[in-house]
Amino acid sequence: MLLLEYRRLPISGGRPSRALQSEEGICLLRDMLTAAGLPHPPIERDEAGRPFFGGCDDMDFSIAHTDTLVACAILLQPHARVGVDAEPITHSPARVARISRGFFSIAEQQYLADATDPARAFAEAFTRKEAYAKYCGDGLLRHIKEDTLSPDFAATRGVIFTACIAEGHCITACRRA
């Protein structure tokens, strides 16, 4: 079972600090665990720095945040592994084109160029990449040029993507199929 929630960050007088964003993410995680009647295992980090629940291989979590929103995914299944990302749907077509040249496959660049809403298409594509990288736990740069939009990407890697649009953001989770 996948639990996926988000909440707006409290903003007063500018961009919230990374520390506040992280704190709000942990608060959301704890609130979700409590609401679902789940235990609160200790949070540990693996050798790459990826957080996980210590002593609990049937429950995993991932947290993402932007300047205005925090999202959290909790996965309950044997050998659980999940990654989540959130991206605001705000980039101009010129920025989408510039970023995609450096970070997207040729097919993804074409998809973005053809999109009727480039900002939304970019947010959907980028959150898939980031959620997959968090799922893998070995960094975005290792997966940045992979075509996560390709029809067979998820099946060949044994993952499932779940996405939603909320509060002007695209939120995407990636989990083991």
Side-chain angles (χ1 to χ4, degrees):
M1 172 174 40
L2 176 68
L3 305 174
L4 182 61
E5 291 190 24
Y6 66 90
R7 74 171 56 139
R8 280 222 164 265
L9 286 171
I11 299 173
S12 58
R15 179 181 181 187
S17 68
R18 297 288 274 172
L20 175 64
Q21 292 170 341
S22 295
E23 182 180 314
E24 288 293 323
I26 295 297
C27 287
L28 177 57
L29 171 64
R30 289 188 178 130
D31 290 350
M32 289 172 66
L33 291 170
T34 299
L38 296 169
H40 291 235
I43 297 173
E44 298 179 12
R45 291 191 178 270
D46 66 16
E47 59 281 349
R50 183 186 187 277
F52 67 97
F53 289 127
C56 192
D57 76 339
D58 60 347
M59 188 164 75
D60 191 32
F61 75 96
S62 183
I63 298 171
H65 47 75
T66 69
D67 287 349
T68 59
L69 180 133
V70 63
C72 182
I74 299 173
L75 182 63
L76 306 167
Q77 73 181 43
H79 311 290
R81 186 74 175 221
V82 67
V84 71
D85 191 45
E87 181 74 21
I89 303 171
T90 58
H91 297 296
S92 69
R95 184 171 165 85
V96 166
R98 188 174 66 253
I99 294 171
S100 70
R101 280 192 299 276
F103 298 105
F104 287 76
S105 71
I106 298 298
E108 289 169 322
Q109 289 177 50
Q110 189 60 54
Y111 169 79
L112 295 175
D114 294 343
T116 56
D117 185 348
R120 181 177 172 150
F122 172 81
E124 290 169 342
F126 192 81
T127 57
R128 280 177 71 100
K129 284 186 181 300
E130 184 74 29
Y132 180 70
K134 286 181 174 182
Y135 164 83
C136 293
D138 54 6
L140 180 60
L141 291 179
R142 181 178 170 119
H143 304 284
I144 199 72
K145 290 285 189 174
E146 291 187 73
D147 185 359
T148 59
L149 297 175
S150 124
D152 64 340
F153 182 87
T156 60
R157 284 153 182 87
V159 298
I160 296 170
F161 290 101
T162 303
C164 67
I165 303 296
E167 303 280 336
H169 289 70
C170 180
I171 303 167
T172 302
C174 178
R175 64 184 169 97
R176 182 173 291 137

